[in-house]
């Protein structure tokens, strides 16, 4: 039977790490699946890494790396994919919102020959109505960009070694893991699961963070906003032709409008459109700048393997 790597990004999850390790190993051992658990400490400010080290000492199937600072969940996932030694990798959360019992189902599908198994949320967890609406809009846009139905998708996935290798070759720094597995293609199956309540602690997302996340992910998958700029330009051009002819006709007929209001309104509308367009273009330039700098996506500061050697010596 082939090795399964479970990747668990963890940020300030000291209370959840032991729980996650216990539940995941219990489920996988019961299902007779050889596994390794890879905890990626995303620069936590609490004792997450110490707890991971303690777990690694008790259970040889547990490993961990720790970032030098917080690099975000995406970086943590990609670091985990690089670390993974398994023939397949599962990405899950540390707060156990993705039920570990689903993993054996995913593995079963993988054994049937599926290379990507997507975890699909049956119902979105408890959240505010505005949040739900926002999330749906966001997934519609992204779904259009990757040409797939992305609604109720999640970061909970199983990827075959082939897919992991493909993702490991991507050089882009700003990634959106959830959509990349759709983008990569391969034979895909889905399993549905019920999103659980977070066990301990609170969600790490602020509204501002979510908006930023949405904008970044949309622009990392589509240039539609840039086409919107062109579209706005065409609209203004048509409007200017119509208004221009009308203004000239009135001028020569000696009845030009002298209203200041028109001028102010026109300035405001055109000014606003130009500013927004510049903002959109600027956003893409900023992204090019970030990619061109070619900095590493994350910095690994510690590994549990080293810690073990330190104890042995
Ligand atoms: N996480 C991370 N880095 C971050 C934020 C979150 O590695 O900067 C991890 C976190 O520890 C958890 C997972 O990503 O395992 C999902 O985070 P959270 O539960 O806060 O998000 P939500 O479930 O509310 O979407
Ligand atoms: Mg969560």
């Amino acid at each position: 039977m082939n090795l399964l790597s479970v990747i668990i990004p963890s940020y300030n999850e000291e209370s959840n790490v032991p729980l996650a390790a216990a539940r995941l190993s219990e489920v996988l051992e019961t299902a007779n699946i050889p596994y390794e658990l890879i905890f990626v400490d995303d620069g936590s400010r609490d004792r997450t890494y110490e707890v991971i080290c303690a777990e690694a000492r008790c259970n040889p199937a547990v490993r961990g790396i720790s970032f030098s600072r917080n690099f975000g969940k995406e970086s943590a996932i990609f670091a985990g994919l690089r670390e993974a030694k398994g023939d397949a990798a599962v990405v899950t959360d540390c707060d156990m919102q993705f039920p570990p019992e689903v993993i054996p189902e995913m593995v079963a599908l993988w054994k049937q020959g599926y290379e990507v198994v997507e975890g699909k949320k049956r119902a979105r967890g408890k959240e505010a109505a505005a949040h739900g609406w926002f999330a749906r809009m966001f997934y519609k846009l992204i779904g259009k960009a990757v040409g797939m139905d992305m609604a109720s998708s999640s970061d909970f996935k199983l990827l075959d070694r082939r897919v992991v290798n493909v993702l490991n070759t991507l050089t882009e720094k700003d990634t959106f893991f959830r959509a990349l597995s759709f983008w990569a293609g391969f034979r895909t199956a889905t399993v549905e699961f019920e999103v659980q309540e977070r066990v301990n602690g609170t969600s790490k997302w602020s509204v501002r963070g979510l908006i930023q996340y949405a904008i970044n992910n949309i622009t990392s998958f589509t240039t539609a906003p840039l086409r919107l700029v062109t579209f706005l330009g065409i609209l203004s051009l048509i409007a200017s032709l119509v208004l221009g002819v009308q203004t000239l006709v009135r001028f020569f007929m000696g009845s030009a409008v002298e209203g200041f209001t028109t001028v102010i309104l026109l300035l405001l509308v055109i000014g606003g459109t130009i500013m927004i367009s510049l903002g959109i273009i600027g956003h893409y330039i900023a992204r090019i700048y970030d990619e061109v700098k070619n900095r590493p996506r994350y910095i690994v500061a510690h590994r549990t393997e080293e810690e073990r050697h330190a104890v042995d010596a």
Side-chain angles (χ1 to χ4, degrees):
M1 175 56 211
N2 303 322
L3 181 69
L4 179 74
S5 304
V6 182
I7 296 159
I8 311 134
S10 320
Y11 178 51
N12 294 343
E13 305 272 14
E14 57 179 2
S15 51
N16 285 330
V17 168
L19 247 145
R23 279 198 59 196
L24 285 166
S25 47
E26 191 198 309
V27 168
L28 294 168
E29 275 159 29
T30 315
N32 249 326
I33 300 168
Y35 67 93
E36 57 170 358
L37 303 185
I38 303 172
F39 284 94
V40 183
D41 167 26
D42 186 9
S44 303
R45 267 162 306 192
D46 62 2
R47 296 186 60 259
T48 301
Y49 185 63
E50 281 82 347
V51 179
I52 295 173
C53 288
E55 289 298 325
R57 278 194 289 274
C58 306
N59 183 350
V62 176
R63 291 195 283 142
I65 55 176
S66 126
F67 286 175
S68 58
R69 65 168 169 85
N70 182 246
F71 280 91
K73 187 181 179 187
E74 289 287 315
S75 302
I77 292 175
F78 278 86
L81 289 176
R82 263 190 203 284
E83 289 297 314
K85 298 201 177 99
D87 303 292
V90 167
V91 176
T92 183
D93 274 5
C94 199
D95 53 8
M96 295 286 101
Q97 281 189 289
F98 302 149
E101 293 73 28
V102 177
I103 297 178
E105 282 178 49
M106 291 179 152
V107 171
L109 283 164
W110 170 52
K111 282 194 196 152
Q112 285 173 26
Y114 290 102
E115 285 142 332
V116 177
V117 185
E118 301 278 345
K120 194 165 175 243
K121 296 174 188 164
R122 193 166 292 147
R124 294 189 63 88
K126 262 190 228 158
E127 56 194 0
H131 184 158
W133 181 84
F134 186 70
R136 274 196 300 279
M137 283 299 295
F138 167 59
Y139 283 118
K140 250 208 181 115
L141 269 170
I142 286 270
K144 270 226 158 77
V146 292
M148 305 263 175
D149 176 20
M150 290 268 311
S152 54
S153 71
S154 68
D155 282 341
F156 190 26
K157 304 174 193 293
L158 179 146
L159 305 175
D160 184 78
R161 169 53 49 191
R162 266 172 274 222
V163 188
V164 174
N165 287 345
V166 168
L167 295 190
N168 281 345
T169 58
L170 297 184
T171 52
E172 61 192 271
K173 302 293 172 299
D174 222 329
T175 46
F176 185 35
F177 175 67
R178 201 169 296 187
L180 273 177
S181 65
F182 286 92
W183 168 85
F186 290 94
R187 288 190 63 198
T188 304
T190 48
V191 282
E192 292 207 339
F193 69 92
E194 212 79 55
V195 182
Q196 312 290 308
E197 289 287 310
R198 190 172 231 290
V199 188
N200 289 312
T202 49
S203 171
K204 309 292 181 296
W205 290 104
S206 59
V207 173
R208 196 168 149 246
L210 274 178
I211 293 176
Q212 193 70 42
Y213 183 70
I215 292 179
N216 273 338
N217 291 328
I218 288 170
T219 51
S220 86
F221 262 94
T222 166
T223 47
L226 285 177
R227 287 198 293 279
L228 180 75
V229 172
T230 318
F231 177 71
L232 285 176
I234 293 171
L235 270 191
S236 330
L237 190 70
I238 295 170
S240 72
L241 280 177
V242 174
L243 274 179
V245 169
Q246 189 221 30
T247 313
L248 281 178
V249 168
R250 285 211 173 181
F251 178 76
F252 287 117
M253 281 168 46
S255 66
V257 237
E258 44 176 304
F260 231 176
T261 327
T262 332
V263 178
I264 291 174
L265 280 180
L266 278 176
L267 267 179
L268 287 180
V269 170
I270 292 176
T273 318
I274 291 178
M275 299 274 210
I276 288 179
S277 307
L278 275 180
I280 294 175
I281 297 168
H283 184 88
Y284 280 93
I285 294 180
R287 294 189 55 114
I288 297 172
Y289 174 59
D290 279 340
E291 296 289 342
V292 152
K293 275 189 292 188
N294 207 20
R295 291 199 182 141
R297 198 176 329 195
Y298 52 84
I299 301 169
V300 176
H302 304 283
R303 292 170 177 278
T304 49
E305 286 99 328
E306 291 162 9
E307 245 78 7
R308 259 190 220 132
H309 291 154
V311 174
D312 291 346

